[in-house]
């Protein structure tokens, strides 16, 4: 017999021996007992409960943070507008302190204050609703305070009593207007 044939026979013998050992180990393996299975189930249930508790805690933390953000947003919603108003307040206080009696200087100070107020309105997206005579009454932006006889078409604006204001397309105050009466009624 050659060395090559002898190696093949030895390898085949080792393979048969390994297979026999594997089959013997499998045959000797005892299925787990009822107590072992119960312990494994309890361990898995504990892991599942732990994961559920972590998920609930995470959800509660998210809710709490969301509520805190909402409270902060409400609390500081007017911060930008309030900061813009500080300059207007300063100008008004300076006007009250002026004892010069110079009407033109007072008028100029009031104009500067109004300019600052308009700038604050622009920066905070507050726009005027200032309808013109002859415009149709828009119940979403105008409030008819009275009706008067007029040569204009019925339900058109005759005059503006007070301007209205919008905040980012939401009506803060409708324009208060006088409207032409329907003469046929």
């Amino acid at each position: 017999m050659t060395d090559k044939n002898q190696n093949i026979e030895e390898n085949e013998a080792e393979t048969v021996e390994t297979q026999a050992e594997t089959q013997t180990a499998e045959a000797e393996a005892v299925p787990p007992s009822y107590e072992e299975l119960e312990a494994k189930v309890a361990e898995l249930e504990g892991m599942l409960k732990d994961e559920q508790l972590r998920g609930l805690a995470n959800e509660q933390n998210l809710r709490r943070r969301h509520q805190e953000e909402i409270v902060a947003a409400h609390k500081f919603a007017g911060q930008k507008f309030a900061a813009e108003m500080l300059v207007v307040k300063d100008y008004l206080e300076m006007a009250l302190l002026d004892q010069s009696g110079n009407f033109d200087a007072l008028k100029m100070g009031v104009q500067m204050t109004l300019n600052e107020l308009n700038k604050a309105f622009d920066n905070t997206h507050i726009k005027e609703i200032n309808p013109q005579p002859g415009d149709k009454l828009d119940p979403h932006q105008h409030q008819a305070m009275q009706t008067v006889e007029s040569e204009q078409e019925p339900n058109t604006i005759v005059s503006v009593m007070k301007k209205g204001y919008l905040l980012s397309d939401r009506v803060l105050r409708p324009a208060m207007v006088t409207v032409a009466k329907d003469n046929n009624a």
Side-chain angles (χ1 to χ4, degrees):
M1 215 192 242
T2 64
D3 286 337
K4 193 175 186 182
N5 287 341
Q6 188 177 2
N7 285 341
I8 291 173
E9 286 178 11
E10 286 175 7
N11 286 340
E12 285 176 2
E14 285 177 16
T15 303
V16 169
E17 193 176 302
T18 305
Q19 287 175 348
E21 287 174 1
T22 304
Q23 288 173 353
T24 304
E26 288 174 358
E28 290 176 1
V30 178
S33 70
Y34 179 75
E35 290 81 20
E36 290 172 336
L37 289 174
E38 261 188 349
K40 187 67 173 172
V41 167
E43 178 185 341
L44 292 173
E45 284 176 344
M47 290 171 57
L48 179 62
K49 187 171 184 171
D50 185 52
E51 286 298 317
Q52 287 175 335
L53 288 175
R54 287 175 194 251
L56 287 173
N58 189 34
E59 186 178 328
Q60 286 175 344
N61 287 337
L62 286 172
R63 263 196 218 117
R64 179 186 48 78
R65 275 189 239 123
H66 181 68
Q67 287 298 328
E68 288 171 357
E69 288 174 6
I70 289 172
V71 167
H74 286 257
K75 186 176 181 180
F76 298 109
Q79 183 174 359
K80 182 178 180 183
F81 184 70
E84 295 286 338
M85 289 293 99
L86 296 178
V87 176
V88 174
K89 183 180 185 298
D90 292 341
Y91 281 166
L92 289 172
E93 287 174 346
M94 285 189 290
L96 289 175
L97 291 175
D98 181 22
Q99 298 295 320
S100 69
N102 185 345
F103 181 74
D104 289 334
L106 182 62
K107 186 176 177 182
M108 185 178 78
V110 170
Q111 183 61 51
M112 287 173 49
T113 304
L114 181 59
N115 292 343
E116 285 300 316
L117 184 61
N118 286 331
K119 197 182 321 178
F121 279 14
D122 287 342
N123 291 339
T124 55
H125 308 287
I126 297 176
K127 297 179 182 96
E128 287 184 355
I129 302 172
N130 192 13
Q132 299 303 308
D135 289 352
K136 280 283 191 193
L137 179 71
D138 179 355
H140 299 290
Q141 293 191 352
H142 309 139
Q143 182 175 353
M145 301 304 290
Q146 67 183 38
T147 57
V148 294
E149 290 188 21
S150 173
E151 298 295 319
Q152 293 179 198
E153 286 184 40
N155 292 325
T156 59
I157 296 169
V158 175
S159 64
V160 177
M161 300 167 86
K162 279 189 183 176
K163 295 177 188 176
Y165 293 92
L166 297 169
L167 174 60
S168 299
D169 300 326
R170 180 182 283 178
V171 176
L172 288 174
R173 179 179 79 191
M176 297 177 189
V177 297
T178 303
V179 180
K181 191 185 285 187
D182 187 1
N183 291 332
N184 297 333

